[in-house]
Amino acid sequence: MEFIPKINLNDYTMHALRTGIGSSIAILIAEFFSLDFSSSAGIITLLTLAVTKTETIRLGINRISTFLITMFFTMTFHLFLGNNWFTFGIVLTIITFIFSYKNLLSTLSVNAVSITHLMFRAKITVHDLLNEFYLLLIGLAIAIIVNQFQDYSRQRKFLECSKESVEQRFVCIFEKMIDYVKGPEKKSTIWDEIIQLENDLMELTKCAVKYQQNRLPVKDDYYVDYFEMRLQQCGLLHNLHYEIKNIRNNEEAIEIISLFVNEIKKHIEDQFFCSEQIDYLSELIVELQDEYVPSSKQEFINKARLYHILKDFEDFLKFKKRFYESIE
């Protein structure tokens, strides 16, 4: 069962409502305080609203720090070069370079608007500077406030459905792995499916991070940690491709791997069988170490490959065990 995360209509609707209502409120407040260029407060809100609460707050902090830098250069060059297009170009060039170097280009648009408000005045006064600062504060405050309204229940439902889908896909992969190990040499899609699952898990991890950041100040790392754990497990399975491919001529190894893979498959969703499975696997590894010394090079290679595969499956289970221990 393939599950590809998509943004649904509700996401677009909520973001549009936050943007429209927030920008309107910002303009209304700026007009209430009789600020010049009151519409700029709405634009600041619009440009500051991000996908998550964390990103909006981070962007707001960056806007304040870059605003101070912009005002310093604007006043300095206005004082020495006057209010003309040449001064405007120099200031814009300097702050663009600084913001690019510091990876703060997302703040440039708002600061460029502030420069146009001030640069062509005959004289920049304290009132003018405070006017721009108040517009910035209103725009940022409204953006942070309206971004508190998030549809947590829908986001959580999406992640929970994704979690169930991932577990079903792991079961399908293990079933195909058993067929691949036991069956005759033929083209299999199992390794491509593992790669696709890895890609989907990366996208799901990003979705979980957004959910986590939107839950602030509540700390909720469960889904981020879960999908990262499954991603680590996927990486292990993918790395087993070569070893499993080259051990298919060893009947004893095939039987051991098939039995254990089937055991993992039956309890892929269950957190309570990790310790038992790890203990069982440890016993298998000990038995493998205590077995006869290989009499030929091929026997030695087969035994080494089987040992390596079992150790990787042990790591597979330990990833899961550590995850559930951490949430307890």
Side-chain angles (χ1 to χ4, degrees), residues 62-118:
N62 289 340
R63 288 205 191 287
I64 293 174
S65 60
T66 56
F67 174 81
L68 298 176
I69 295 172
T70 301
M71 291 302 100
F72 170 78
F73 284 108
T74 300
M75 292 180 62
T76 300
F77 283 93
H78 186 279
L79 180 64
F80 290 103
L81 299 178
N83 57 337
N84 53 65
W85 63 268
F86 181 68
T87 307
F88 175 82
I90 290 178
V91 174
L92 194 60
T93 301
I94 291 173
I95 66 170
T96 301
F97 173 79
I98 294 173
F99 297 167
S100 298
Y101 182 74
K102 294 295 185 179
N103 197 27
L104 295 170
L105 270 180
S106 57
T107 66
L108 181 61
S109 55
V110 170
N111 286 293
V113 172
S114 297
I115 296 173
T116 60
H117 291 168
L118 299 174

Side-chain angles (χ1 to χ4, degrees), residues 171-215:
V171 170
C172 292
I173 284 172
F174 282 131
E175 287 174 350
K176 291 184 179 181
M177 185 175 289
I178 293 171
D179 293 338
Y180 178 78
V181 171
K182 287 186 172 181
E185 185 69 37
K186 61 181 179 180
K187 185 174 178 59
S188 174
T189 61
I190 177 176
W191 310 110
D192 293 332
E193 290 178 26
I194 292 173
I195 293 173
Q196 183 59 52
L197 180 55
E198 279 185 295
N199 293 334
D200 290 346
L201 281 168
M202 283 188 248
E203 293 301 317
L204 286 168
T205 303
K206 292 177 185 177
C207 294
V209 169
K210 289 179 183 178
Y211 171 76
Q212 173 198 33
Q213 292 180 342
N214 276 327
R215 291 281 287 156

Side-chain angles (χ1 to χ4, degrees), residues 155-168:
Q155 294 173 3
R156 187 182 183 90
K157 183 178 179 181
F158 167 79
L159 292 171
E160 193 61 35
C161 290
S162 302
K163 175 176 174 288
E164 293 173 4
S165 173
V166 166
E167 289 168 353
Q168 290 174 17

